Amino acid sequence: MPVQALVIVDVQNDFLPGGALAVQEGNQIIPRINELVKLPFDVIVATKDWHPANHGSFASNQGKLVGEVIMLNGIQQILWPAHCVQGSYGSELSHDLDTSHFEKIFYKGVDQGIDSYSCFFDNGHRQSTGMEDYMKKKHVNKVYIAGLATDYCVKYSVFDALQLGFDTYVIEDVCRGVDIQANDCRLAIEEMKKGGAHIIKSDELFINKERIFSRKSG
Ligand code: VGL
Ligand code: ZN
């Protein structure tokens, strides 16, 4: 029997139009998320990118330009504008998002010296966010992932989910990405598909609702 989780990644003000690291059309996924969270998933969680002000991924903290790549404690790091600083307005989940169905929020990127795109582990796979244990305790074996950004946090989360053995679904129309290079999002989707993820449209979850969320075994 599938035990199904919905994971909503980083729908925070700084990743929305007007934010510090705005993802184009990032706000357009919110109405659909608000419908998805009403479906009978067994578990619904969300993540927040949650950096200390001195975070090593911020260009300003390195005296460098946004987009430059450095080595941060042995790991390649793209430098970003300061974003999602703990407790800031930019770090808050969008106020248009229906958060009432989120049973837990997982925080990532909390350590100054290492970034964390994935909702499961930091980029060096050194520390866990706790999401793996949470999912395993709830016997989740199938995860649906949506949110921001397709080519960073969604992609890394999907690869970790696959590696952890979850049957992994990306709800493509409920993701938007950064596209530093014009095709990054398209390539990210292709890589996730090659890696074993199912790429689906949110429509399928509504059209096939009875089958996908049937409580019958077999
Ligand atoms: C993200 C860049 C830096 C994301 C987080 O949520 O995709 N991207 N921090
Ligand atoms: Zn970040």
Side-chain angles (χ1 to χ4, degrees):
M1 254 257 298
V3 179
Q4 307 182 107
L6 175 66
V7 180
I8 301 298
V9 177
D10 295 1
V11 183
Q12 294 163 274
N13 292 324
D14 270 342
F15 294 124
L16 299 175
L21 181 34
V23 172
Q24 243 191 30
E25 303 182 347
N27 55 325
Q28 291 184 10
I29 67 174
I30 294 173
R32 198 56 162 170
I33 293 172
N34 291 344
E35 294 174 347
L36 284 172
V37 294
K38 296 194 187 96
L39 288 170
F41 290 98
D42 299 293
V43 171
I44 302 180
V45 298
T47 65
K48 280 187 180 179
D49 208 33
W50 189 249
H51 299 307
N54 65 351
H55 197 258
S57 75
F58 297 171
S60 51
N61 289 332
Q62 303 290 354
K64 296 200 186 288
L65 298 175
V66 168
E68 284 191 69
V69 177
I70 63 162
M71 292 305 287
L72 185 61
N73 294 312
I75 297 171
Q76 273 208 355
Q77 176 68 52
I78 304 176
L79 295 177
W80 303 106
H83 63 279
C84 297
V85 172
Q86 297 170 2
S88 66
Y89 172 78
S91 75
E92 291 172 18
L93 294 175
S94 167
H95 298 171
D96 296 327
L97 193 64
D98 175 5
T99 61
S100 65
H101 302 269
F102 296 162
E103 55 187 62
K104 194 169 164 72
I105 310 274
F106 291 89
Y107 294 85
K108 56 195 196 51
V110 297
D111 294 333
Q112 179 271 334
I114 191 161
D115 211 352
S116 181
Y117 296 144
S118 161
C119 57
F120 293 101
F121 303 104
D122 64 53
N123 293 358
H125 276 229
R126 292 168 191 169
Q127 300 245 6
S128 164
T129 60
M131 193 184 287
E132 178 190 4
D133 284 351
Y134 190 83
M135 294 296 187
K136 298 252 155 101
K137 268 196 196 113
K138 302 234 166 192
H139 308 287
V140 169
N141 48 25
K142 195 168 169 187
V143 297
Y144 292 87
I145 299 182
L148 308 172
T150 315
D151 39 356
Y152 288 93
C153 291
V154 169
K155 176 172 119 175
Y156 279 69
S157 298
V158 165
F159 276 106
D160 279 347
L162 288 165
Q163 203 182 322
L164 290 170
F166 293 107
D167 192 12
T168 305
Y169 290 72
V170 183
I171 314 175
E172 184 178 11
D173 58 307
V174 192
C175 296
R176 291 291 186 281
V178 181
D179 266 347
I180 292 181
Q181 310 273 352
N183 280 323
D184 283 354
C185 286
R186 194 180 54 75
L187 291 173
I189 292 285
E190 276 174 26
E191 281 173 55
M192 293 188 275
K193 194 171 180 176
K194 267 196 201 126
H198 305 270
I199 310 297
I200 63 162
K201 302 266 195 285
S202 58
D203 272 351
E204 297 174 36
L205 290 167
F206 294 97
I207 293 166
N208 299 317
K209 181 178 161 183
E210 296 308 322
R211 179 176 59 73
I212 293 170
F213 297 100
S214 113
R215 299 287 172 210
K216 280 175 277 171
S217 54

